[in-house]
Amino acid sequence: MQHSANQMANSYSGNSNHISKEDAKETSSLVVSFGELLIDFVPTVGGVSLAEAPAFQKAPGGAPANVAVGISRLGGSSAFVGKVGADEFGYMLANILKENNVDMSGMRFDPNARTALAFVTLRADGEREFLFFRNPSADMLLHESELDINLLKKARVFHYGSISLIDEPCKSAHLAAMRIASNSGSILSYDPNLRLALWPSAEAARKGIMSIWDQADVIKISEEEITFLTGGDDPYDDNVVLKKLFHPNLKLLIVTEGSSGCRYYTKEFRGKVGGVKVKPVDTTGAGDAFVGGFLYNLASDPSILQDEKRLRKALYFANVCGAITVTERGAIPAMPTKEAILQFLLESASI
């Protein structure tokens, strides 16, 4: 399979973003993802509100965990740091990470708190509806003393969101983990992954998300998050992005635009990488697959941040990861392998 995948990669020559065998090479560089791991309950039928749903199907959820699996599926090295309950759902989630070759040495089990649950649906009007059961759930109760310091020190990339900043003691554990990773030379990667329903207020969310903004080396945000964080400014205006969201220490800011692709900003250059057209079935996890695809490349070769041509290739690879994910239901089940990426590229080139 690997041999045929390499042949596919070498035969693909669609555009300037094409990916060669060297670009898709295996890497032992570790990406550590920090944050929440939970159970999503999704209606068995689409286009209904939570109240209208006749039944629900359970699926593993939590953006940082999705990213960890995404990287591992591609052949990269990934680890997850977080906490679940010492309950059936917690053990189920641990097994899913294990089956996907994610290092679980930083995972903890709480005998006194349950694994978080989230009921989520995409209504007929296109609005996503969330109902969370976290009062408090195990992921909120990770203590700084429970961190695996040696694991954090090994991270070439340390990736995190903002949900782990909402409540103590997890907030202090999150900040401590960032310090340990940063002091060890890790690249800090931040995807705020705004979930307003979990914050006490919109203002608290804005303040919390921005509280660690200037520490990140790489930030990925969506158009909606730009509008939210800037108080309603135009997410397509480069001046808004550069003046309000680009900070002096930032090496790369990525703005995702769904099926339209993404924009990128560094101190030296900026541009846009076009999206990949597919027939969407379920957009859950597309952003996490994108992040996983990009961090897989970044961990393999951090110098892509200084080389626009190779950065564009990595972002195109990430776009493809996101696109493939929306063609199947669920986040973790839909995360692509490297062979699936290369097969997709081959088919795209022949059209």
Side-chain angles (χ1 to χ4, degrees):
M1 183 67 178
Q2 188 63 52
H3 178 65
S4 61
N6 287 341
Q7 288 175 326
M8 280 186 255
N10 288 333
S11 68
Y12 175 69
S13 55
N15 61 32
S16 62
N17 297 321
H18 84 270
I19 298 158
S20 69
K21 180 171 66 176
E22 288 72 26
D23 298 316
K25 66 178 180 290
E26 298 278 331
T27 172
S28 59
S29 301
L30 180 65
V31 179
V32 176
S33 291
F34 178 98
E36 68 279 0
L37 176 56
L38 59 144
I39 302 284
D40 282 337
F41 283 91
V42 185
T44 51
V45 296
V48 296
S49 69
L50 291 176
E52 294 164 342
F56 293 89
Q57 187 172 5
K58 71 180 188 300
N66 291 343
V67 170
V69 171
I71 291 163
S72 188
R73 283 268 173 91
L74 293 168
S77 175
S78 72
F80 175 75
V81 174
K83 202 174 198 183
V84 293
D87 53 41
E88 286 302 309
F89 285 148
Y91 299 133
M92 180 195 109
L93 292 168
N95 281 333
I96 288 168
L97 293 188
K98 187 177 179 183
E99 286 165 8
N100 283 282
N101 299 313
V102 175
D103 182 331
M104 294 160 43
S105 57
M107 195 167 168
R108 302 291 177 259
F109 297 84
D110 195 318
N112 301 312
R114 297 294 188 207
T115 300
L117 309 179
F119 288 78
V120 56
T121 186
L122 190 65
R123 299 191 315 227
D125 61 7
E127 285 299 308
R128 196 170 276 199
E129 197 178 350
F130 290 96
L131 180 61
F132 293 95
F133 286 75
R134 300 171 82 237
N135 49 327
S137 53
D139 60 293
M140 301 157 67
L141 300 174
L142 181 70
H143 287 260
E144 183 178 342
S145 60
E146 295 177 295
L147 293 174
D148 185 330
I149 292 171
N150 288 330
L151 176 66
L152 293 167
K153 284 181 174 177
K154 287 182 204 164
R156 179 171 270 188
V157 177
F158 181 65
H159 177 71
Y160 48 88
S162 68
I163 290 171
S164 42
L165 294 170
I166 298 173
D167 294 284
E168 292 290 3
C170 188
K171 179 181 178 180
S172 291
H174 180 146
L175 297 175
M178 281 176 63
R179 272 196 309 275
I180 293 164
S182 181
N183 290 342
S184 304
S186 303
I187 296 168
L188 298 189
S189 164
Y190 186 21
D191 176 3
N193 194 34
L194 176 66
R195 291 288 178 267
L196 258 182
L198 290 176
W199 292 87
S201 67
E203 188 48 43
R206 204 173 283 114
K207 190 177 175 183
I209 287 170
M210 297 307 292
S211 68
I212 58 168
W213 197 262
D214 62 355
Q215 296 177 58
D217 297 300
V218 175
I219 296 175
K220 172 254 167 193
I221 47 173
S222 66
E223 304 153 288
E224 298 82 10
E225 286 163 345
I226 293 175
T227 303
F228 175 76
L229 292 172
T230 59
D233 286 353
D234 180 3
Y236 302 102
D237 186 338
D238 284 351
N239 289 324
V240 167
V241 175
L242 290 168
K243 285 179 182 174
K244 294 200 173 183
L245 297 174
F246 199 94
H247 67 76
N249 301 319
L250 196 56
K251 295 182 174 71
L252 175 66
L253 178 65
I254 303 169
V255 179
T256 52
E257 299 181 349
S259 60
S260 298
C262 64
R263 307 199 304 273
Y264 58 90
Y265 303 83
T266 74
K267 288 192 183 78
E268 283 77 37
F269 44 78
R270 64 189 187 197
K272 179 176 167 106
V273 176
V276 182
K277 295 288 179 274
V278 292
K279 189 174 180 181
V281 173
D282 178 11
T283 58
T284 306
D288 301 329
F290 174 95
V291 172
F294 180 72
L295 295 184
Y296 163 77
N297 281 282
L298 179 64
S300 171
D301 182 8
S303 71
I304 62 173
L305 296 175
Q306 286 86 46
D307 183 329
E308 187 171 13
K309 186 179 177 184
R310 286 188 300 138
L311 176 64
R312 289 181 62 87
K313 280 187 181 179
L315 290 170
Y316 185 71
F317 183 97
N319 282 345
V320 173
C321 289
I324 290 175
T325 301
V326 307
T327 63
E328 289 184 43
R329 290 204 178 278
I332 285 177
M335 294 280 168
T337 60
K338 194 191 305 176
E339 286 76 19
I341 300 284
L342 298 170
Q343 179 68 47
F344 182 92
L345 294 172
L346 179 67
E347 290 168 0
S348 299
S350 64
I351 292 172

